[in-house]
Amino acid sequence: TVMKDKLFSNWGLKLLSLILGFIVWVTVLNVDDYSTTRQIKDIPVTLINTDAITDKNQLYDIVSGETVDIIIKGRRSVVNSLGASDFTAVADMSKLSITNAVNITVTANSPSVNNNISITIVDNVLQVELEEEQTASLPVTVTTKGETAKGYTTGVPVSTPNLITVKGAASVIERIEKAEVQVDVSGRSSDVTATCTPIFYDANGEEISGKKLESKATGILVTVPVYKTKKVAVKIETTGVPAENYKVVNVEYVPNEITVGGPADVLQNLTEIKIDDIDVAGCNEDLESTIEVAKYLPEGVVLADENTSISVRVTIERNISRTMTVSAEDITINNKMTDYDYSIQFPEGNTVVISGLSDEVSKLTAKDLKIIVDAETLSVGTNTVELSIEDSDTYTIESTCKVTIEVTAMP
């Protein structure tokens, strides 16, 4: 037919046209998808075989090379579709050099992409610092923040565990001064229980943290008792004997009462805090001391005052001796018999020696000594009596004298 003749006529020319069209298409395609280069930054570097270091009780810290940049070359359609997540960068730590460096290798995640591009690493070296690993055991220090409800205070906290193990680089471990957990007690009037993560501090109170430090104790159970408070008196006494001829005159201290907290049954029976070990043995001058009151508290009782100390001043003065002359008028005879006369004489002297503080002794008179003789001990006639004089708070009788008392019937 005519149509069929037209379809199969000049087939050679038609085939040539088809081939030429294909060549043009391929040419255009290649011109449009030309070869190009592109930089991709910050590809994370994965470390493998790190046990080659850690098995030697060493730790590593990356100095440089934690990420890597690459330049890729290939068809524009391929290159432009790629990002950092399409590549894997690896550093094999088992191949670490004596300079603590290792080469980084980068490959595309897709094998087909890998075969159609070239990869150039901008800086293909990962540098690390090595340090000995060290382990330490640290007690847990519990601190509180905030103020309890009015009339309450915190007791001694209890933590479980109370000792934790931490390991890390020796230079870090050696800086650790304490492991601390903190519990908020704001407005509380009953015990507080909390689970806390320890924070590590150096001697300057600066927090220590980082990848060079590891502790498995992330959950420490802490109980902080909260007690009612009570004001109690402070009683201070001295112990020991001052130097010869010296005497304790007065003991002053502030404060004379403190606020404490504790279990209800303990506080109920607590009326005073007694401090009886202020040692004045051998002292010949005033003694001043600052006492930390906490060590004198009964078990289970805590100090609720901000001021934890008591200031004490013990006044010590020298004793003096004084010889006093006694007359018959200074002696009182009690229980006299009526119709009898009592006459006092001093056959061997009429002096009495007393000792005491200068201010007190110097102003005494013989009458102040209150010398008394009981007439019921006397008989009619001549009686020899050694005067008996009692000590007082301000003086001591060192020696007395004898008197003769003549008892005669009145005519």
Side-chain angles (χ1 to χ4, degrees):
T1 65
V2 175
M3 181 64 71
K4 189 174 182 181
D5 291 339
K6 286 183 178 180
L7 182 63
F8 287 101
S9 64
N10 299 318
W11 63 268
L13 184 59
K14 292 177 179 177
L15 179 61
L16 179 62
S17 298
L18 180 63
I19 293 171
L20 289 174
F22 177 76
I23 292 172
V24 170
W25 177 79
V26 170
T27 302
V28 170
L29 185 66
N30 277 298
V31 169
D32 188 55
D33 194 17
Y34 55 85
S35 178
T36 186
T37 59
R38 178 170 164 238
Q39 186 174 29
I40 297 178
K41 295 184 176 183
D42 299 326
I43 300 172
V45 177
T46 301
L47 276 57
I48 62 173
N49 296 323
T50 55
D51 53 355
I53 296 174
T54 57
D55 285 352
K56 298 176 182 178
N57 289 325
Q58 288 184 315
L59 297 175
Y60 59 87
D61 189 31
I62 299 175
V63 177
S64 62
E66 198 164 5
T67 62
V68 68
D69 300 341
I70 61 173
I71 296 174
I72 58 174
K73 182 178 181 181
R75 294 277 182 189
R76 183 176 65 86
S77 59
V78 176
V79 169
N80 287 348
S81 66
L82 299 175
S85 60
D86 295 308
F87 296 88
T88 298
V90 174
D92 187 348
M93 302 306 286
S94 66
K95 297 179 180 179
L96 194 67
S97 71
I98 58 173
T99 60
N100 297 331
V102 62
N103 287 335
I104 300 171
T105 61
V106 179
T107 57
N109 297 335
S110 168
S112 62
V113 170
N114 221 34
N115 293 331
N116 285 283
I117 63 170
S118 64
I119 301 173
T120 302
I121 303 174
V122 174
D123 185 354
N124 69 335
V125 174
L126 180 138
Q127 187 78 39
V128 298
E129 285 183 350
L130 298 183
E131 192 169 357
E132 291 298 318
E133 184 180 61
Q134 187 171 315
T135 301
S137 294
L138 301 169
V140 177
T141 300
V142 180
T143 61
T144 58
K145 68 175 181 178
E147 296 290 334
T148 55
K150 188 175 181 180
Y152 289 83
T153 190
T154 55
V156 179
V158 176
S159 64
T160 305
N162 60 4
L163 194 70
I164 61 173
T165 299
V166 60
K167 68 178 180 179
S171 62
V172 177
I173 296 296
E174 289 168 1
R175 288 174 51 214
I176 298 177
E177 184 74 12
K178 64 179 178 179
E180 182 180 289
V181 295
Q182 190 175 73
V183 179
D184 190 350
V185 297
S186 300
R188 299 301 294 264
S189 59
S190 59
D191 295 355
V192 181
T193 299
T195 300
C196 309
T197 299
I199 299 175
F200 303 98
Y201 293 94
D202 63 16
N204 296 321
E206 297 291 331
E207 183 178 342
I208 299 174
S209 60
K211 294 180 291 185
K212 290 188 177 183
L213 194 61
E214 178 186 343
S215 172
K216 295 181 179 179
T218 55
I220 296 178
L221 183 64
V222 180
T223 299
V224 181
V226 177
Y227 299 134
K228 278 190 174 182
T229 60
K230 178 182 180 180
K231 285 187 178 293
V232 295
V234 176
K235 184 178 181 181
I236 294 184
E237 297 177 355
T238 61
T239 184
V241 179
E244 187 176 358
N245 294 326
Y246 285 83
K247 181 181 179 181
V248 173
V249 177
N250 190 32
V251 179
E252 298 175 289
Y253 50 91
V254 288
N256 54 20
E257 68 174 11
I258 58 174
T259 303
V260 296
D265 57 334
V266 176
L267 288 188
Q268 184 177 1
N269 299 319
L270 185 64
T271 58
E272 68 177 17
I273 303 298
K274 188 175 182 180
I275 301 173
D276 58 2
D277 59 354
I278 307 299
D279 192 1
V280 297
C283 291
N284 59 7
E285 61 183 4
D286 293 351
L287 176 67
E288 294 185 352
S289 178
T290 300
I291 300 169
E292 290 299 321
V293 70
K295 69 177 183 178
Y296 297 95
L297 300 178
E299 186 175 356
V301 175
V302 296
L303 189 64
D305 288 326
E306 290 185 4
N307 184 13
T308 62
S309 61
I310 295 178
S311 298
V312 181
R313 178 183 176 88
V314 181
T315 304
I316 298 175
E317 292 186 7
R318 182 181 177 88
N319 283 336
I320 64 168
S321 294
R322 179 185 173 194
T323 302
M324 302 180 69
T325 301
V326 178
S327 65
E329 288 76 17
D330 298 321
I331 301 172
T332 301
I333 300 176
N334 290 336
N335 301 317
K336 289 181 180 181
M337 294 183 292
T338 57
D339 301 328
Y340 282 84
D341 185 47
Y342 294 80
S343 175
I344 300 174
Q345 302 292 328
F346 295 89
E348 299 177 358
N350 61 337
T351 58
V352 173
V353 179
I354 66 172
S355 66
L357 300 175
S358 175
D359 289 347
E360 299 291 340
V361 171
S362 61
K363 60 187 179 183
L364 290 175
T365 65
K367 201 71 174 176
D368 295 325
L369 300 181
K370 297 179 181 179
I371 306 171
I372 297 173
V373 176
D374 188 354
E376 290 184 352
T377 64
L378 304 176
S379 57
V380 177
T382 302
N383 299 269
T384 301
V385 177
E386 175 125 19
L387 295 179
S388 178
I389 309 172
E390 293 185 355
D391 294 341
S392 77
D393 293 337
T394 58
Y395 60 82
T396 301
I397 304 299
E398 301 294 342
S399 64
T400 62
C401 62
K402 291 180 180 179
V403 297
T404 58
I405 302 177
E406 190 77 26
V407 181
T408 56
M410 292 183 182

